[in-house]
Each structure stands twice: as C-alpha cells, then as structure tokens.
Amino acid sequence: MDNPKTPYFFIQEYKPSQNGGDPEPQLVAELISAVEINNWKTIKGCFIVGATWNFVVSEKLGKNKYQYFTEAKIEKLKNKR
C-alpha cells in the first residue's frame, strides 16, 4: 500500500442555510488550528451554505498573523497567492 509523503488536507464547514449560522468564522478557526498543529504555512478549505460553495486559501504570515482569501470560483483563487 502506498502512503503519501505529505498528506493533503482540505477542511470544510457546511450549513444548510444562513439561518443555521455563518460557517466562515468556524472554518477559519479550524484552518488556523490545522496550520499551527502541523507547522504548515498554508491550507485550503471550503465553507458551504446551502448549495453555494466558497473556497478558501489560508496562509500564515508570522507569529499570530494570518490571511485568507475566499472565492466562489476556485479558478480565481489560483491568482490570489
């Protein structure tokens, strides 16, 4: 059985509607936690509200400093880094 040298993680958060709460802050907290626990610089994720997908790239800039980009079309995120 082959094992990847670097596992690929993609974190997602889902809410059936905006009335169920905003999944974006919860996703961002999970992305920051994953970056810190694993000593990574970047991670990808997605938050979904109903049928709308919002893709996210989160990056650690320095100690306790992060930035993230959100886009409904994943192709546009490729130019954000």
Side-chain angles (χ1 to χ4, degrees):
M1 175 181 235
D2 292 334
N3 292 318
K5 292 180 182 175
T6 304
Y8 182 84
F9 288 93
F10 181 90
I11 298 174
Q12 64 91 24
E13 240 352 281
Y14 168 77
K15 300 291 184 208
S17 69
Q18 197 64 37
N19 294 339
D22 185 359
E24 186 173 357
Q26 186 174 353
L27 174 71
V28 171
E30 292 169 3
L31 294 175
I32 289 171
S33 297
V35 163
E36 289 299 326
I37 289 169
N38 295 289
N39 290 322
W40 294 336
K41 186 170 166 94
T42 63
I43 191 167
K44 297 171 179 79
C46 180
F47 65 92
I48 307 155
V49 179
T52 305
W53 290 59
N54 297 280
F55 298 94
V56 179
V57 174
S58 179
E59 180 177 20
K60 183 174 182 173
L61 300 176
K63 184 174 179 157
N64 300 323
K65 292 186 89 178
Y66 310 89
Q67 71 178 357
Y68 71 99
F69 301 99
T70 303
E71 182 58 58
K73 296 187 181 196
I74 198 164
E75 295 83 22
K76 290 186 178 182
L77 273 179
K78 293 177 185 175
N79 298 325
K80 298 274 186 181
R81 293 186 69 232

